[in-house]
Amino acid sequence: MNNPLIVEQAGNSVITDLGRTRGPAFGLPVNGALDQFSAKAANILAGNPDNDPLLEITALDFRMRATSDLLIAVTGAPLHLTVGGRETPCWEPVSVRAGETVAIRRITTGLRAYIAVHGSFPVPVLLGSCAPDTVIGFGLRLANGTALPTAASLPPVSQPHFGLPLYRLGFAAPQFRDHLVIDVTDGPDVTEFGATAELLYQSTYTVSPRSNHIGLRLGGLLPERQTTAEVLSRGVPVGAIEVPSRDELLLLHRGRGVTAGYPVLAVATTRALDLLGQARPGHTITFRKTTVAEATATHRAACLELERLRGTVQTVFGLLGVGTNAGWRELPAAAGI
């Protein structure tokens, strides 16, 4: 074990990645980080590949101690982050000195935070992913005292004259709210609900405390299926909105089973799933109809935003020698500095 991170307050935290994409072919859910945009951004900011293992922290406070110098990045829901007792910004690379404690407090508005560590962690994988699967009992759920081995140590980087951090990347973090507008496309069974299908777009739904990584349960006015034919079990996508009863909607998330037998009224878009990963019990949701073309354009825009961030990070890290030899000392001095 090489210079491990010591978990001092685990809260509700796991090691995950972007999911088990090979899983559905074997009857396993994809799982992985529920807010994929925030998870990818954390790894990019830490200088890692998008799919490297990272920590997902849900709702509760978290604290860990470094035993070597590290570079980390914290993204996701708004929260209070301290490193060595110093208040520290999220959505930026952050240096942590050996012996310092990283503490996350007061996750607000959203539900989940992500911590990526430069070099990531060597952890077990199943079908190419370390994502936890509660059904088969696979994955690493953290506990107080867990020691996470780290793969790389990185001395702190600071401005040589004033001790100021050099990371100011200009990335605009997503805005999180307690009312979500969720884009959806028509599901395969929308016609079975007749005119009542429009209730989905005319109503406000409330996230139930019974929601989890498998799916969100939403209370509100429900469209009613107009036919009585039996629905055969078949494959269902992540994001499927089912109407299983007269009590609530069920919006399947990344932990969903790969088959189901309820009518699918609509399907949440990829970008909407990231927002839903931050939905807390009591948050309200309204649905907005979109097209596959519009949903694809929105997804591509988010990907381009992350690619621009990656380009900026790679340029800055290259100059500072993060993972390479420092190049910034070779740059000519700017006029007036």
Side-chain angles (χ1 to χ4, degrees):
M1 185 171 295
N2 181 30
N3 298 322
L5 278 169
I6 308 300
V7 176
E8 296 182 339
Q9 183 180 5
N12 184 9
S13 55
V14 298
I15 299 293
T16 192
D17 53 25
L18 298 182
R20 189 164 291 104
T21 55
R22 293 168 55 195
F26 296 92
L28 298 176
V30 67
N31 283 305
L34 264 68
D35 180 353
Q36 298 263 300
F37 185 90
S38 293
K40 291 176 183 177
N43 266 326
I44 290 171
L45 289 164
N48 296 334
D50 289 7
N51 199 35
D52 270 9
L54 78 171
L55 283 73
E56 182 179 67
I57 299 157
T58 302
L60 303 180
D61 292 348
F62 176 86
R63 189 174 71 251
M64 66 183 186
R65 176 171 49 85
T67 60
S68 63
D69 294 340
L70 299 172
L71 179 73
I72 70 170
V74 178
T75 63
L79 53 85
H80 184 252
L81 171 66
T82 58
V83 175
R86 305 180 304 276
E87 188 169 349
T88 306
C90 298
W91 295 86
E92 290 183 7
V94 174
S95 291
V96 181
R97 296 180 184 275
E100 289 187 326
T101 296
V102 177
I104 285 177
R105 298 284 182 268
R106 302 194 299 274
I107 297 178
T108 60
T109 311
L111 188 63
R112 292 178 171 87
Y114 296 88
I115 303 178
V117 176
H118 179 67
S120 191
F121 314 98
V123 291
V125 297
L126 173 67
L127 294 177
S129 172
C130 71
D133 189 314
T134 57
V135 175
I136 62 173
F138 176 84
L140 180 56
R141 178 170 294 277
L142 304 182
N144 295 351
T146 297
L148 286 173
T150 55
S153 179
L154 189 68
V157 179
S158 61
Q159 206 276 350
H161 299 294
F162 303 105
L164 299 174
L166 289 174
Y167 306 115
R168 290 293 185 267
L169 303 177
F171 182 74
Q175 298 298 308
F176 296 92
R177 298 178 175 84
D178 56 10
H179 177 76
L180 306 176
V181 178
I182 298 301
D183 287 335
V184 298
T185 58
D186 283 340
D189 305 315
V190 63
T191 58
E192 296 186 13
F193 291 87
T196 72
E198 290 302 310
L199 285 175
L200 184 69
Y201 308 106
Q202 299 167 358
S203 307
T204 298
Y205 297 89
T206 302
V207 179
S208 165
R210 295 197 296 154
S211 301
N212 55 27
H213 67 289
I214 295 174
L216 280 75
R217 296 181 179 274
L218 307 174
L221 293 177
L222 301 185
E224 294 186 17
R225 188 168 178 247
Q226 304 299 298
T227 62
T228 57
E230 183 177 355
V231 178
L232 299 178
S233 292
R234 68 266 172 90
V236 290
V238 175
I241 299 175
E242 297 183 329
V243 188
S245 70
R246 302 183 68 87
D247 296 325
E248 56 194 3
L249 292 179
L250 179 59
L251 196 158
L252 302 181
H253 217 303
R254 299 181 62 81
R256 64 83 173 94
V258 297
T259 61
Y262 295 117
V264 176
L265 173 62
V267 180
T269 67
T270 300
R271 190 68 187 98
L273 283 169
D274 295 334
L275 299 177
L276 291 164
Q278 297 290 354
R280 301 175 72 97
H283 279 186
T284 56
I285 289 174
T286 54
F287 292 101
R288 180 173 60 192
K289 184 182 291 190
T290 190
T291 65
V292 172
E294 291 169 338
T296 300
T298 300
H299 175 62
R300 286 177 175 169
C303 292
L304 287 174
E305 188 176 5
L306 291 174
E307 283 303 313
R308 285 192 292 267
L309 176 63
R310 190 193 322 277
T312 302
V313 168
Q314 288 176 345
T315 298
V316 172
F317 282 10
L319 294 174
L320 298 177
V322 175
T324 60
N325 294 322
W328 65 275
R329 294 184 181 86
E330 303 171 4
L331 297 178
I337 296 180

